[in-house]
Amino acid sequence: MTATDGPLRTLKSVEGDKKLGRLPVASALRTLDLECDGLNLLREALTGEMARAFAEAVRVMRAAKGRVVVTGIGKSGHVGQKIAATFASTGRPAFFVHPTEASHGDLGMVTADDVLLALSWSGETVELKPLITYSRRYNVPLIAITSRSESALGQHSDIVLELPRAKEACPHGLAPTTSTTMQLALGDCLAIALLEARGFTPQEFKAFHPGGSLGASLKYVADVMHTGERMPIARDTDQMSDALVTMTQKSLGCLGIVDAKGKLVGIVTDGDLRRHMGENLILRRTVDIMTRSPKTVKPGMLASAALEQINASRITALFVVERGKPVGIVHVHDLLRAGVA
C-alpha cells in the first residue's frame, strides 16, 4: 500500500457519490417529462375527440339525483378513491365501491338514481364485470375512463372518456405511472367542471371542510370578531381622558368613535395618540383626535380576506360594521390564533 492509496480512494469515492447523486435526479426528470407528455396528450384529447364525451359526462353526473359511484381496482382503484373524495368535498355526493366487495353485497349500495364512474386502463378488468352487468340491468348510467374504447368496459358504457395511450414513466412499461397521472388529472377536470357548473361557493366549501388550516381560512369575520362589551367604543363628544380609559381596558390598540346615531365615524389608534401627544391631549374631544372614515369589513367576509386587508393596510384591527354601525372588531391576533394565515 502506497502513501497515495488513501487519498485516491477517497477521491474516487467522492466522484462515485456525485455520479450516484446525479442518477436519481436524472431519473426523476425523465419521469416528470414522460408524465407531462401524457398530460399534454390528454389536453389535446380534451380539445378534440374527447370534448363531446367529457361535456356529456359532466351533464349526466350533474343531473343525477343520487351519487357518483366510483370504482376501479389496483392502482386505478386508488386513483378512484381520490376522485370520489374530491367529488364529495366539492359538493357532488360520491363514494368509492371496491369491485370485489360489490360482488359480495355492496351492489346494494348502488341505486338507479346514481351514476357509475369506472376506471380501468385496459378496460378488461374481470372484477368490474358484476358492476357492468348490474348497471345494464338496472339502467344505471355508466361512464368509463379507459384507454381502450373497444374494450369490454368501453363497449358496455354509456359514455367513454378514452385516455391517450401515453408511454409509462416506468422504464419497463409495467408500473402504472403516466397512466394513473392522466386518470387523476381527468378526475380533477370532472370535479372542477361540476363545481363550476353548479356554482359551488366558498361558503358551501366551508361546510365540507370545517377542520384544519383550510377550515380556518374559510371562517367568517363573524366567527372570530369581538362583540358587545369587548368592543372599544366611545362617542365623538367624549373627552380623551375618558376615552383613553376605555381604550386601555379593551387592550385592542384602537378605539372606535361613533356619532349620536351610533354610526362609526372614526377611529383612534396608537398612532393618532402619538401624533397628538401633548399636555392638552386628555382635555380634547375624540372627534379632534380620530382618523375619519376608518377601514371596515362586513361580518360575512371570509376571515382570510380580512387578514389580507389588514396586511395590505398595515394596521392591526378592523371594525366590523352593518348599516354603518359597529357590530364587532377583529384583531390580527384573533385571526392568527384561529389559524387564518
Side-chain angles (χ1 to χ4, degrees), residues 97-108:
V97 62
H98 194 284
T100 303
E101 296 297 335
S103 63
H104 288 275
D106 281 0
L107 280 173

Side-chain angles (χ1 to χ4, degrees), residues 223-240:
D223 297 327
V224 295
M225 69 184 186
H226 299 281
T227 61
E229 293 298 320
R230 285 290 296 132
M231 285 193 296
I233 297 292
R235 293 281 296 274
D236 56 359
T237 55
D238 290 347
Q239 279 194 319
M240 283 302 299

